[in-house]
Amino acid sequence: MIIGHPAFSRYNIRSLRYIMCVGDFLPYQLIQEAEAKLGCPIVQGYGAMDFGNVTQQTPFNSPQVRYVTVGRPIEGNEVRLVDDLGKDVKRGEVGEVVARGPATVSGFYKDPESTYKAWDKEGWCRLGDLGKFDEAGNLILVGRKKDIIIRGGQNIYPAEIEDLLITNPGVSNVAVVGMPDSIMGERACAYVQPVPGMKFTFEEMLS
């Protein structure tokens, strides 16, 4: 909204050093456009209502780290990626994000049943997000666990497809959802919003 404001060009913003964003992960193309217009890095963090800050980037991270990952665990936090049985997955594989540390709360107020579902006896909190670590230990989010599309037994993570499609200069926004399929169980459907005035064909999306 800032970079699209009609009076944006009238203001001197050279004093900006960096901008921190939290909440949903920003689309690749939006980060690039914002950094070009604002003249400073966009720094993203990852957290949850029940936990607080989990991981964080810094203004000194490379563009690749800032555009693709949500950074590394902040000091004092531990982050693991686990399978459905709660066992750690191998480096590079996708697992559910669980974390513990001083930033998290101790449970839900007067709701022990929900507390026991979210936290185990060792203090690990299930955050419901799916992710994988890169070689440097930065966390890459690939979607919500409940949003997985299972097509013929294959797990498809909508965020991975969205991140790929958004890199096309003709795409301004995209959402991938599951659709019922009588043979495969589910299939992926992409809703693509083209950039006004630019051409984006179905063949381009497939390629």
Side-chain angles (χ1 to χ4, degrees):
M1 292 177 69
I2 292 173
I3 63 177
H5 195 281
F8 175 78
S9 60
R10 297 209 299 262
Y11 290 87
N12 183 345
I13 57 172
R14 287 181 296 177
S15 62
L16 286 176
R17 296 174 60 192
Y18 68 91
I19 293 179
M20 179 181 289
C21 293
V22 295
D24 201 7
F25 191 68
L26 294 177
Y28 189 94
Q29 187 173 331
L30 177 59
I31 301 176
Q32 288 184 310
E33 181 183 3
E35 289 193 346
K37 291 184 176 179
L38 296 170
C40 67
I42 304 293
V43 178
Q44 301 192 77
Y46 165 60
M49 185 69 71
D50 310 327
F51 195 96
N53 279 8
V54 179
T55 66
Q56 184 66 56
Q57 302 169 351
T58 79
F60 309 105
N61 285 136
S62 69
Q64 177 68 12
V65 169
R66 289 187 288 103
Y67 294 177
V68 177
T69 82
V70 290
R72 303 180 69 173
I74 64 172
E75 186 173 356
N77 280 351
E78 299 174 81
V79 178
R80 296 165 51 216
L81 302 176
V82 301
D83 60 21
D84 290 338
L85 299 177
K87 296 183 179 179
D88 291 342
V89 300
K90 296 179 180 178
R91 176 59 64 94
E93 292 184 355
V94 172
E96 182 180 0
V97 182
V98 297
R100 66 179 179 183
T104 186
V105 298
S106 58
F108 297 116
Y109 182 62
K110 293 185 177 180
D111 192 349
E113 184 178 348
S114 295
T115 298
Y116 296 144
K117 286 181 180 179
W119 284 271
D120 68 14
K121 295 179 180 179
E122 297 179 343
W124 292 101
C125 178
R126 286 186 172 270
L127 300 177
D129 292 303
L130 296 169
K132 58 185 177 182
F133 287 114
D134 68 10
E135 294 181 357
N138 295 292
L139 180 62
I140 301 170
L141 297 178
V142 300
R144 295 285 295 172
K145 187 174 182 180
K146 64 181 181 180
D147 292 337
I148 292 178
I149 299 168
I150 303 177
R151 181 181 185 273
Q154 177 190 15
N155 288 351
I156 297 173
Y157 306 103
E160 285 190 320
I161 305 173
E162 292 164 353
D163 290 344
L164 181 62
L165 289 175
I166 202 72
T167 61
N168 187 296
V171 175
S172 66
N173 206 352
V174 61
V176 173
V177 300
M179 288 183 64
D181 186 278
S182 60
I183 298 175
M184 303 300 284
E186 283 185 292
R187 56 177 169 163
C189 175
Y191 290 85
V192 177
Q193 181 180 354
V195 174
M198 293 192 70
K199 183 180 179 182
F200 182 69
T201 67
F202 184 68
E203 288 70 26
E204 282 185 86
M205 183 174 71
L206 290 179
S207 69

